[in-house]
Amino acid sequence: MKLEELKQKMDEAHYIYDDTLATVLSVALELGRPLLIEGAAGVGKTEIAKVMAKALDRDLVRLQCYEGLDESKALYEWNYQKQLLAIQVNMGNQDADKLTRSLFSDEYLLERPLLQSIRSEKPVVLLIDEIDKADEEFEAFLLELLSDMQVSIPEVGTIGAKTVPFVVLTSNRARPLSEALRRRCAYLYIQYPDVEKELAILRAKLPHVDDQLCAQVAVAVHKLRSNEAILKKPSIAETLDWAAALDALGVKELTPDALRHTAGFVLKNSEDLEAVQQLDAGEHACHCGGHCGGHHHD
Amino acid sequence: MPATVAAIAEAITMTDPSVYTRKIAAFCRMLRLEGLTAGPQETADACRILTVVGMEDRSRVKTALRTVFAKTREEQETFERVFDGFFVSEEAMRRQAEEYAKREREMEQARRQTEEELLLNGQPMDFDDRQREAYATMPPEERQKLRSFMDRYKESAARNPDLYSNFIHSVFAKSILEQQMLMEDAALGCGSADPELGLMYRDISEFKDTEIPKAIAAIQTVAQQINGELSAKRSRGGRGGKLDFRRTIRKGLETGGSFYRLSFRKKRHRKKRLVILCDVSGSMVQFSEFALRFIQSLNHASESSRIFLFSEELVEADVFSLENMDKFRSYVKESGTYGRGTDVGKALQKLCTASPPVLNDATTLLVLSDTKTVDLPKALQALTEAKRLSGRVLWLNPIPAHKWQYLRSAQAVASMCHMAACNDLRSLSQACRRLAQLQD
């Protein structure tokens, strides 16, 4: 897909992007490489996969990684209990070889996201979310899929992809990923958006919210993120939640009171809330960067 | 219009693929020299993508190639540097050439001046070319200081060359050595452009007070990573165990003898004890605080650890009193060990002879110190004894590894036990990861 075409599709999906992101996505698509996206929590890594599914008009197949994830949860599993029942029911009715063969057929195969994505008739977008949470063995197991778009099941053999999915892997850098995995992927590192981009996101996602309030929220969030005392930086989703909450409360302007009452939407631990309260006692509490025009500083 | 001519020329060359494939091949060589993985696959991908993206838009070419070649955020930094150096515009190239020529002229002049200044009693002083080069790059005021010093002792050196020549030489050598260290730091790019990356790569002792919360947050993130890695490893150990026949059969009885649910054995886990010997003399306090915070954040290392603080005396620390930086500092001050000289030998000796014994086969001794101590032979002897008593000895040194060659104590300790340089948070986190793996 050409870059301009991709940009048009992302515009249609109402996704706010910059040139770098569009170029990286276009390169990954052009080369047919999986895309590894790294960045802090809440910068919009997972959203990219969702938008790509929308832009490419494909289904999204999602594999959420966690400690202890193995191929039985990610690729396939034999329906052991059903196989056991089939053996007991058909004991003496069929010849043994036929029964054994039938036990390892599609009927007893439980497809998990990875297998589902390569056996799909229509190409899909495969999201392997938070790969850093999975074990190193699982990473090694993914290599075959990522480089050759095939998987090996001992009882069946090698299963090649019917259609090639666009694979997006995300990582919060909770642990370093292996060199082998990285080499197979195109790489993108994303950071928190700047004020303009965040404002554009707010406008696109919450068109009904007052523009001035959106601007104040965007600036305030930017200030919070750049504040060293804030340990858990607010994510884009939290910015949206905050703006929506302020709007639902009928707040037209981000005053220190409004900030105090709704800070829980954007800051999620007590230390950060305390830090903001301490700042609040200081000279310019609303973190509006002067955008409020000093209305509330009586 | 030279810009248009250049654009046309570039467009013409782009029609011939061999031109940019040669360029890309050369660029890949540069990337490899900088430590990036630029194999045949990446080179082929880069060529393929350039035919699609074209060469007209420099920033687009940069993004496309970065996607192919740089696979971590750190590699992206390196890539940017190499790209900017390799794909330069004609104007930038001319500017660079002019700057280079100017620098060369200045260096040549400085070299000539160095020859004149490094003369003692009419004879050239005994310095090699690298040392002379370091002298030439010294700031003028430093060189002026050395010249004044030389002038002051010139007559004495002429009267008694044996005594004063060595003295003058040693003063010059010390200043030159410091300059060499500064040059090495500059070459390593200690101040990174990215503030977050910069914090990980900057010398811990250079942290400002305002940066400490950020550094602590970075430590906690990395410690969380390490904890995550180890718990993932451990859960794998349990799952990969053998089939537990007894449990499986017992559960099978519930379903009429069919084994619907399989049970697996889990491995038993035994942890090693960690003994931390922590230098809190003057300049070491900040490093020790960071290192201890790191180690305490590691579940697997901290659960069974004992901490000893030392300078000239050895004091066992109460782990709960070291929770935050203020508490740590006041605790260290109260312990009477703060701001005094360092006697590693005495501390190790006391640790070895403690009753009941602190060190045994099941303990790992971790020393946080820059190795600078009074009575080095005694320290080395005590280290040998500590090594014999404990299962393993690890040494975390806040002095960067490339400077160990200038320190006799660092060289001696490194030859006796595993010593890791931990001058910045990145190397400290690497050392702590290794430690946690060993402890697990």
Side-chain angles (χ1 to χ4, degrees), chain A residues 132-203:
Chain A
D132 51 327
K133 300 256 168 71
D135 313 332
E136 282 162 30
E137 277 93 339
F138 181 72
E139 243 185 84
F141 156 78
L142 271 182
L143 298 180
E144 186 188 5
L145 175 80
L146 296 182
S147 56
D148 300 330
M149 286 297 156
Q150 63 174 43
V151 290
S152 299
I153 298 178
E155 299 85 356
V156 177
T158 303
I159 298 179
K162 278 186 192 167
T163 52
V164 178
F166 178 60
V167 185
V168 177
L169 299 104
T170 72
S171 163
N172 289 331
R173 314 221 308 169
R175 70 171 175 81
L177 300 175
S178 70
E179 183 75 10
L181 181 87
R182 287 179 180 280
R183 278 204 63 198
R184 282 163 175 81
C185 301
Y187 179 76
L188 172 67
Y189 183 85
I190 46 178
Q191 286 172 311
Y192 289 111
D194 55 22
V195 178
E196 285 75 25
K197 195 176 171 190
E198 190 132 38
L199 183 56
I201 294 170
L202 281 165
R203 281 178 185 148

Side-chain angles (χ1 to χ4, degrees), chain A residues 1-4 7 19-21 23-33 35-36 38 67-71 80-82 84-85 88 133-138 172-177 179 182-189 191 225-226 228-231 233, chain B residues 37-42 44-46 48-49 52-53 57 59-61 63-68 70-76 194 196-197 210-214 217 220-222 224-229 231-233 235-236 239 255-256 258-262 433:
Chain A
M1 186 184 280
K2 289 266 181 282
L3 181 60
E4 298 311 319
K7 281 183 175 178
D19 250 8
T20 305
L21 175 61
T23 308
V24 171
L25 288 171
S26 154
V27 167
L29 274 171
E30 182 62 37
L31 296 175
R33 289 264 178 281
L35 176 64
L36 170 63
E38 286 192 329
E67 276 176 26
L69 175 70
D70 58 11
E71 54 264 52
Y80 171 66
Q81 281 81 4
K82 197 173 171 185
L84 214 57
L85 280 173
Q88 288 173 347
K133 300 256 168 71
D135 313 332
E136 282 162 30
E137 277 93 339
F138 181 72
N172 289 331
R173 314 221 308 169
R175 70 171 175 81
L177 300 175
E179 183 75 10
R182 287 179 180 280
R183 278 204 63 198
R184 282 163 175 81
C185 301
Y187 179 76
L188 172 67
Y189 183 85
Q191 286 172 311
R225 282 190 197 130
S226 53
E228 286 173 4
I230 305 294
L231 298 175
K233 310 291 180 206
Chain B
T37 312
Q41 180 69 61
E42 285 80 7
D45 282 352
R48 197 172 134 198
I49 208 64
V52 179
V53 174
D57 187 337
S59 74
R60 192 170 286 175
V61 169
T63 308
L65 292 182
R66 191 178 60 200
T67 310
V68 172
K71 301 298 165 87
T72 63
R73 199 175 169 205
E74 290 76 14
E75 284 185 5
Q76 283 188 338
D194 186 313
E196 207 180 305
L197 274 181
T210 50
E211 288 170 332
I212 287 175
K214 218 173 179 186
Q220 282 164 345
T221 311
V222 180
Q224 217 176 344
Q225 287 175 14
I226 299 172
N227 287 335
E229 279 170 44
S231 74
K233 254 189 193 154
S235 69
R236 282 201 300 276
R239 201 178 61 251
T255 50
S258 297
F259 306 132
Y260 284 106
R261 285 182 200 88
L262 305 176
R433 175 177 274 118

Side-chain angles (χ1 to χ4, degrees), chain A residues 2 4 9 28 33 48 56 86 104-105 116 135 138 144 157 160 162 170 201 217 226 242 244 261 277 288 290 292 295:
Chain A
K2 289 266 181 282
E4 298 311 319
K9 298 259 185 191
R33 289 264 178 281
I48 290 176
L56 301 172
F104 294 105
S105 61
Q116 193 191 333
D135 313 332
F138 181 72
E144 186 188 5
K162 278 186 192 167
T170 72
I201 294 170
V217 167
S226 53
W242 192 26
H261 293 140
Q277 268 160 14
C288 63
C292 63
H295 303 311

